[in-house]
Amino acid sequence: TVTDADLVLGYLSADNFLGGDMKLDLAGAEKQLAKLGKSLGTSARDVAAGVYRVVGESMTAAARAHAVDRGIDYRGVPLFAFGGAGPVHACYVADLLDSPMVIYPPLASVLSAFGTLVTPPRLDLSQGALSRLSSLKWDDVDRIVAKLVADASSGLASAGCKPSDIKFQFGADLRYFGQQNEVTTWFDTDPRKKHDAAWVRAIFEDAYEKLYSLRLPELDVEIVSWRLVATGPVASRDSKVALQSSYAKPHGKRSARFGANDIETPVYARKDLAKGQTLEGPAIIEERETTIIILPGWSARVDATGCIMASKE
């Protein structure tokens, strides 16, 4: 439905989707949206614009919830757009989030896959061990943490990591006694070297206060489980982007709906863009696996890293 709406709005090319390997049915999408539009007393493009707005509101609500859960004020924070559909909707979502900038990285459509290739091998392990901090038995802690370290070391060794290349981060899930939900807390060193309940409590309360803006010093702290993150060495991958030396011209135009207006919009190929090139919205920038939509009132600039930086004017 979203792809059909973006197609009817003129944001996507029926003949150049997936570099032309996957043809989209523009006539079929228009027919179905027109059918829905007739029942609503409006046009196919107005229905598509409504779908676009609903999708944008949904993405915005998810971003707000994600930020609020972490106590972050998202207003004024740049938006990072990736995935196949993200760049099509990012400027609209940024408007709703009061974000003044959208960053479209190179390889935006396959950013997660690329991240998998360059991210160090990693194992996240945990072991349940319900205990009050005031009556904690450090012999039990030492045994649990040692087993987590041994299991993680064995697992990463099977992935080809040398013991000397493995790094560990130690943590625990803690909560105030009587609460249902715990807070995952990360320590600055191996707890086996500290054997200090006050140190554990202080780190937990810092994390708790950051989330909930209060501390409950009259309550005991309960450990639910111990955690370990083990990482191997960073992989080396060349992600440098080759930028053109001369500014690109649009390779065509197509009618696209922005607000209530149908505008003949220039279409660029991202691979043709040069370092420092600036594009005024509305503009469409196509890649093989995604399309960037620069809305009216926005401008885009190609950064030296190959990122496209869109800013609201």
Side-chain angles (χ1 to χ4, degrees), residues 28-279:
E30 287 177 333
K31 179 181 178 180
Q32 292 302 319
L33 288 172
K35 182 178 178 181
L36 178 57
K38 185 177 181 180
S39 69
L40 298 172
T42 189
S43 69
R45 271 204 165 179
D46 285 339
V47 171
V51 172
Y52 188 85
R53 289 194 299 272
V54 169
V55 171
E57 293 284 358
S58 179
M59 289 179 173
T60 302
R64 284 179 179 142
H66 193 69
V68 170
D69 281 349
R70 288 154 180 76
I72 297 170
D73 183 357
Y74 54 81
R75 293 168 297 182
V77 176
L79 196 67
F80 197 70
F82 61 94
V88 181
H89 299 266
C91 272
Y92 183 77
V93 173
D95 268 338
L96 297 176
L97 288 172
D98 295 324
S99 179
M101 177 179 287
V102 180
I103 303 170
Y104 303 90
L107 305 173
S109 58
V110 290
L111 193 69
S112 296
F114 181 74
T116 300
L117 292 175
V118 300
T119 300
R122 168 172 168 160
L123 286 175
D124 291 68
L125 303 178
S126 65
Q127 174 65 54
L130 194 63
S131 174
R132 288 205 203 184
L133 194 56
S134 59
S135 57
L136 188 63
K137 296 180 180 179
W138 284 104
D139 286 346
D140 292 340
V141 175
D142 292 349
R143 175 179 51 79
I144 291 169
V145 173
K147 185 176 187 305
L148 291 175
V149 169
D151 289 347
S153 299
S154 175
L156 289 182
S158 68
C161 297
K162 299 177 182 178
S164 59
D165 290 334
I166 300 174
K167 296 181 179 180
F168 300 103
Q169 185 177 19
F170 301 88
D173 295 329
L174 303 109
R175 63 191 179 195
Y176 284 115
F177 183 73
Q179 292 185 334
Q180 180 179 1
N181 297 320
E182 58 271 9
V183 175
T184 299
T185 305
W186 297 104
F187 308 129
D188 53 12
T189 191
D190 187 338
R192 294 174 296 176
K193 297 179 180 178
K194 300 288 285 189
H195 284 193
D196 186 348
W199 169 75
V200 173
R201 181 178 184 117
I203 295 176
F204 160 71
E205 291 194 313
D206 285 345
Y208 189 93
E209 185 176 28
K210 185 176 181 181
L211 279 174
Y212 302 112
S213 300
L214 80 159
R215 298 181 184 227
L216 303 173
E218 70 279 7
L219 296 181
D220 199 358
V221 173
E222 188 172 48
I223 296 173
V224 178
S225 58
W226 292 94
R227 289 189 173 273
L228 177 75
V229 174
T231 55
V234 176
S236 177
R237 296 284 189 278
D238 184 8
S239 59
K240 212 169 191 183
V241 176
L243 297 172
Q244 302 299 325
S245 56
S246 57
Y247 289 176
K249 294 182 179 180
H251 61 73
K253 288 187 175 183
R254 63 173 174 261
S255 174
R257 169 66 64 92
F258 297 100
N261 302 313
D262 293 324
I263 302 174
E264 285 296 313
T265 306
V267 181
Y268 297 84
R270 183 168 185 170
K271 64 181 178 58
D272 294 339
L273 300 180
K275 173 184 173 182
Q277 182 167 357
T278 300
L279 308 177

